[in-house]
Amino acid sequence: MTMISPHPSNYPAATRREWIGLAVIALPCMVYAMDMTVLNLALPAISAQLQPSSSQLLWIIDIYGFLVAGLLITMGTLGDRIGRRKLLLAGAAAFGAASTIAAFSNSAEMLIAMRALLGVAGATLAPSTMSLIRNMFHDEHERRLAIGIWIASFSLGSAIGPLVGGLLLEFFWWGSVFLVAVPVMLLLLALGPALLPEYRDPDAGPIDLASVAQSLFAVLAIIYGIKDIAQHGPGWLSAAAILAGVAVGLAFVRRQRHLAYPLLDMSLFLRPAFGAAIATYALSCLAMFGIYVFITQYLQLVLGLNPLQAGLVTVPWALGFVLGSLFAPRLARRASPRVIFVGGLLAAAAGFALLVLADRPYGLEAVVAGMIVVSLGMAPVITIGNEMIITAAPPERAGSASAISETCAELSAALGIAVLGSIGTLFYRTGLSAAMPEGIPEPAASAAMATLGGAVTAAQALPGAAGEAMLSAARAAFVGALQFMSVTGAILVVGAALAAARILRAGRGTPALDDRAT
């Protein structure tokens, strides 16, 4: 049976094998997204049993994301060289094995090591699966639908991750959250060889190990510095890490320009479609992740929702991403990429603007509605943008192109959390300083000025009226910070819309036909 594209195409339509293969590679992507969220729920139980130090606990949380971000470019290019299916299956085997061992870890050091291996294995999934889609679906309409399903799998994993994790922790031990990945990876290993095509660049040169080291150091140093600023504020260590990462990153870029077969093809950035998609993706992720941190605190510390209730509230906008991703291919048949980018980003800006109503009696409804609008606006932009990214690159460099896309998202997310988070925190402290009730003891006032969580804890230790007054002032200041960040997010995505319109108008918004898969 063959699924026929509704539009004529010079390329053959995908068969049932390709669509089943897409389902097989979408499952590990969903697990990958779940793995980014479920650990936070298990941290109290992990802390109670393994008793990690504060620094070990941070490494348990961060090492996975650090290594995923640092190795995406390397893994994308490695897949182009040795074979994308081979790399994906090797990564799936390592992911399944590391998940099993992590579930039965008996020390903090053992769990950190397994989280690190999960990060290495996880870095193979996104670039391998996305570049395989490039080879499996040659008709552009089918490819857009496939990418929409691929993105929807990440959104679905993010949505159900906290719910699945909560159910597992209700009935089983903390290690069960890691075992969810094992049957999915076994399924991929069993069906992948029969359903997924192999593709490698026949003219690929050897891996440049110096470039690998430079890219890894640059990304890790920059993300470490940004995260350190987000957690502890600006300091010499964070500044040194970021400067070192930027310096090594510039050296990496210069090196790529002189290699016969570079780890990162810098000429891709000169293509209007590629540049517009990357720039839009970066600004969108920066705005979304920067504000998301404030929304999660708003739900629990301002509205008083418990973690499960807050998780349920986030489900509608995650499902909005799923629906928007699946609707994007149909939209692309009726509108140009330029129209989709500008329209979607302006819709997202309107969604961010709705968050300004968070201080009203219907604040929860306004926040949920606003984030649904953001999701529905962003999802087509991200879906079509990713399709533009992998088709703007030659087929033999699709893995590298998809890795650039994912690395861009990781860096922008970290930057959004650190920079926008710091600006929002400063706004919160300024507002609370002006509204702090008289007679509050200095230790309690200092704790409240640090974070909203500190204000909640400090208020519980104060006499009734004083505690309520300080907590009310802290919550009002935090909502003011959320409103300010919402306006900032709207401005950022409007800027992204203007940039995309200008770049795509200059390059007509579509990759050259001879760059598409053959």
Side-chain angles (χ1 to χ4, degrees):
M1 177 180 177
T2 302
M3 296 187 69
I4 303 298
S5 170
H7 289 260
S9 174
N10 295 326
Y11 301 109
T15 65
R16 178 183 293 176
R17 175 186 174 186
E18 280 76 33
W19 291 105
I20 296 175
L22 175 64
V24 170
I25 62 177
L27 283 174
C29 293
M30 183 180 70
V31 169
Y32 166 88
M34 288 174 57
D35 212 61
M36 301 287 280
T37 59
V38 296
L39 179 69
N40 291 332
L41 295 174
L43 286 178
I46 291 173
S47 298
Q49 181 174 336
L50 302 184
Q51 298 183 346
S53 66
S54 57
S55 62
Q56 287 176 326
L57 191 61
L58 286 176
W59 279 115
I60 290 172
I61 297 169
D62 289 337
I63 191 66
Y64 177 82
F66 278 178
L67 288 177
V68 166
L71 289 171
L72 279 168
I73 291 175
T74 298
M75 293 302 182
T77 304
L78 183 62
D80 291 338
R81 283 169 165 81
I82 70 171
R84 295 163 187 168
R85 184 182 68 187
K86 180 184 293 185
L87 180 66
L88 176 61
L89 295 180
F95 201 99
S99 296
T100 302
I101 299 172
F104 298 97
S105 295
N106 53 23
S107 69
E109 294 82 1
M110 183 176 178
L111 183 56
I112 291 170
M114 289 305 101
R115 287 281 292 169
L117 181 55
L118 283 169
V120 175
T124 69
L125 296 179
S128 295
T129 51
M130 188 173 171
S131 56
L132 279 171
I133 289 173
R134 170 78 148 91
N135 300 118
M136 293 165 64
F137 298 92
H138 301 294
D139 176 84
E140 66 175 332
H141 303 300
E142 292 182 338
R143 184 168 56 244
R144 285 170 179 163
L145 177 58
I147 292 175
I149 293 171
W150 179 79
I151 291 174
S153 69
F154 286 98
S155 302
L156 186 60
S158 299
I160 68 175
L163 303 179
V164 172
L167 288 173
L168 290 172
L169 293 170
E170 184 73 22
F171 298 103
F172 303 101
W173 89 114
W174 61 263
S176 61
V177 300
F178 291 102
L179 294 180
V180 174
V182 176
V184 174
M185 298 305 165
L186 289 176
L187 180 67
L188 175 58
L189 290 170
L191 300 181
L195 294 173
L196 304 178
E198 183 58 286
Y199 184 91
R200 64 174 62 87
D201 181 1
D203 300 320
I207 293 285
D208 182 55
L209 296 181
S211 295
V212 171
Q214 286 178 327
S215 67
L216 181 61
F217 179 88
V219 173
L220 290 182
I222 292 172
I223 288 185
Y224 174 81
I226 291 172
K227 281 182 172 285
D228 191 66
I229 290 174
Q231 292 173 352
H232 307 295
W236 289 108
L237 179 61
S238 55
I242 292 173
L243 289 175
V246 171
V248 174
L250 291 173
F252 169 79
V253 170
R254 286 195 298 269
R255 184 176 182 85
Q256 302 316 294
R257 290 173 175 167
H258 296 93
L259 293 176
Y261 199 91
L263 192 69
L264 183 62
D265 187 357
M266 303 305 300
S267 66
L268 291 175
F269 291 94
L270 300 177
R271 305 186 179 210
F274 188 90
I278 288 292
T280 303
Y281 203 7
L283 287 173
S284 300
C285 288
L286 191 150
M288 284 192 298
F289 281 90
I291 292 175
Y292 182 75
V293 174
F294 280 81
I295 291 176
T296 56
Q297 294 182 74
Y298 169 81
L299 294 175
Q300 296 186 63
L301 300 179
V302 175
L303 299 183
L305 304 182
N306 63 40
L308 179 59
Q309 290 172 329
L312 289 172
V313 167
T314 65
V315 169
W317 68 69
L319 294 180
F321 256 105
V322 173
L323 294 176
S325 301
L326 298 178
F327 178 71
R330 184 180 296 274
L331 187 63
R333 294 172 187 158
R334 295 172 171 80
S336 68
R338 183 167 175 254
V339 170
I340 292 172
F341 273 46
V342 173
L345 291 168
L346 292 179
F352 282 129
L354 282 174
L355 303 184
V356 174
L357 302 175
D359 62 339
R360 305 297 174 88
Y362 48 83
L364 175 60
E365 291 81 0
V367 168
V368 172
M371 291 309 296
I372 290 174
V373 174
V374 170
S375 299
L376 291 173
M378 289 288 195
V381 174
I382 294 174
T383 300
I384 302 305
N386 273 285
E387 195 267 343
M388 290 167 63
I389 287 169
I390 61 170
T391 53
E396 65 274 9
R397 302 311 305 267
S400 176
S402 62
I404 295 172
S405 170
E406 294 304 309
T407 303
C408 172
E410 294 283 347
L411 286 172
S412 298
L415 192 63
I417 292 170
V419 176
L420 296 186
S422 298
I423 294 172
T425 299
L426 178 62
F427 196 96
Y428 161 75
R429 290 172 179 168
T430 302
L432 181 56
S433 176
M436 182 69 72
E438 294 183 2
I440 301 296
E442 178 60 29
S446 297
M449 291 289 291
T451 63
L452 180 58
V456 172
T457 302
Q460 294 171 349
L462 294 175
E468 289 178 6
M470 187 185 74
L471 183 56
S472 177
R475 284 173 168 167
F478 188 87
V479 171
L482 173 60
Q483 292 170 320
F484 176 77
M485 297 310 301
S486 302
V487 174
T488 303
I491 293 172
L492 280 173
V493 293
V494 168
L498 294 175
R502 182 171 183 175
I503 297 172
L504 292 176
R505 182 171 59 242
R508 295 185 176 269
T510 54
L513 291 176
D514 56 2
D515 285 338
R516 293 192 179 276
T518 57

